[in-house]
Amino acid sequence: GAVVSQHPSRVICKSGTSVKIECRSLDFQATTMFWYRQFPKQSLMLMATSNEGSKATYEQGVEKDKFLINHASLTLSTLTVTSAHPEDSSFYICSASGGQGPGETQYFGPGTRLLVL
Amino acid sequence: AQKVTQAQTEISVVEKEDVTLDCVYETRDTTYYLFWYKQPPSGELVFLIRRNSFDEQNEISGRYSWNFQKSTSSFNFTITASQVVDSAVYFCALSGWNAGNMLTFGGGTRLMVKP
């Protein structure tokens, strides 16, 4: 149980285009979903937290107009990188949690490698 | 504020050796949760264990074991008889009561198991 999928797994795009990444919880309802960014050989950096039906909460320094997050249902959240530039190239990982309470386990998707040319 | 420190950035062992990955945490919450995740080269983080602050019993799962010591604020992870498939980056993470279900990650330890 607790499977999270992410699509696409890898994307290459031209500078200036927008890229949408989907995160789905396959066998449970995800009250909360998280989006992380990971640079090579570094730890995960939380970008934003999204709860179903409400606006995402962004971490300090993350541009909400650049990284649009939508959590339209209990099984789907999307991250759209708008007008992508080479510095947005990174590994993006989502996670999903069945609750908002303290200590709820986050289950992670397989990640999306974004390369902006 | 919460903090997780994994002092070992890289560890290299030969297959069948035992290896311990260290994790030290800081939190002001009296109730908190500790996690370990494995990130193999494919990139996906695999959940390994969740432990709450009131349960100090050590846990064993196959070749994996965890030692939780509140007195030293540590939650160390031992792999017995390591295998090449254990090669991955391992992250320790903390979720304090007042943080909801947000995680604070350590920097990760890259484990390389050589045949």
Side-chain angles (χ1 to χ4, degrees):
Chain A
V3 179
V4 177
S5 70
Q6 206 171 322
H7 179 80
S9 58
R10 188 181 297 265
V11 59
I12 301 173
C13 69
K14 292 183 179 179
S15 186
T17 60
S18 293
V19 175
K20 180 185 281 189
I21 302 170
E22 290 187 351
C23 178
R24 293 181 185 273
S25 57
L26 299 184
D27 53 0
F28 68 102
Q29 293 189 325
T31 307
T32 309
M33 286 185 167
F34 302 83
W35 287 96
Y36 295 85
R37 184 172 179 177
Q38 186 180 32
F39 292 103
K41 296 192 176 183
Q42 292 189 23
S43 189
L44 284 76
M45 181 187 78
L46 179 65
M47 299 175 65
T49 304
S50 74
N51 294 302
E52 185 264 339
S54 58
K55 289 184 178 180
T57 302
Y58 290 82
E59 294 300 298
Q60 192 172 7
V62 178
E63 299 175 58
K64 60 181 181 181
D65 295 330
K66 172 77 170 175
F67 299 99
L68 301 178
I69 292 172
N70 183 276
H71 191 165
S73 76
L74 284 172
T75 58
L76 173 64
S77 176
T78 60
L79 167 67
T80 301
V81 183
T82 61
S83 187
H85 289 97
E87 57 266 28
D88 299 323
S89 299
S90 191
F91 188 56
Y92 293 87
I93 314 175
C94 73
S95 70
S97 172
Q100 301 178 41
E104 288 281 348
T105 300
Q106 291 184 30
Y107 296 96
F108 287 80
T112 297
R113 297 193 184 277
L114 171 64
L115 177 60
V116 184
L117 302 175
Chain B
Q2 301 183 145
K3 185 177 179 181
V4 177
T5 302
Q6 294 179 255
Q8 307 148 307
T9 53
E10 286 194 10
I11 301 175
S12 181
V13 299
V14 176
E15 206 169 19
K16 297 184 183 178
E17 286 185 8
D18 299 346
V19 59
T20 296
L21 310 181
D22 297 334
C23 173
V24 175
Y25 61 91
E26 296 175 31
T27 179
R28 293 180 180 176
D29 292 324
T30 53
T31 301
Y32 51 89
Y33 301 82
L34 296 161
F35 301 81
W36 276 94
Y37 288 90
K38 173 183 180 180
Q39 187 178 38
S42 60
E44 178 177 2
L45 267 79
V46 178
F47 166 72
L48 296 178
I49 191 171
R50 169 184 179 270
R51 177 54 54 110
N52 75 58
S53 54
F54 295 106
D55 183 1
E56 287 195 71
Q57 278 193 334
N58 292 331
E59 179 148 345
I60 298 174
S61 177
R63 296 183 297 108
Y64 295 171
S65 63
W66 290 268
N67 181 266
F68 176 30
Q69 294 203 347
K70 288 180 76 170
S71 60
T72 55
S73 297
S74 65
F75 187 42
N76 296 338
F77 173 31
T78 297
I79 302 175
T80 303
S82 60
Q83 300 176 3
V84 173
V85 292
D86 296 327
S87 297
V89 179
Y90 291 87
F91 290 98
C92 179
L94 166 71
S95 179
W97 180 265
N98 290 309
N101 57 348
M102 291 178 63
L103 290 172
T104 298
F105 281 91
T109 297
R110 182 176 301 274
L111 173 65
M112 292 172 285
V113 182
K114 299 178 181 177

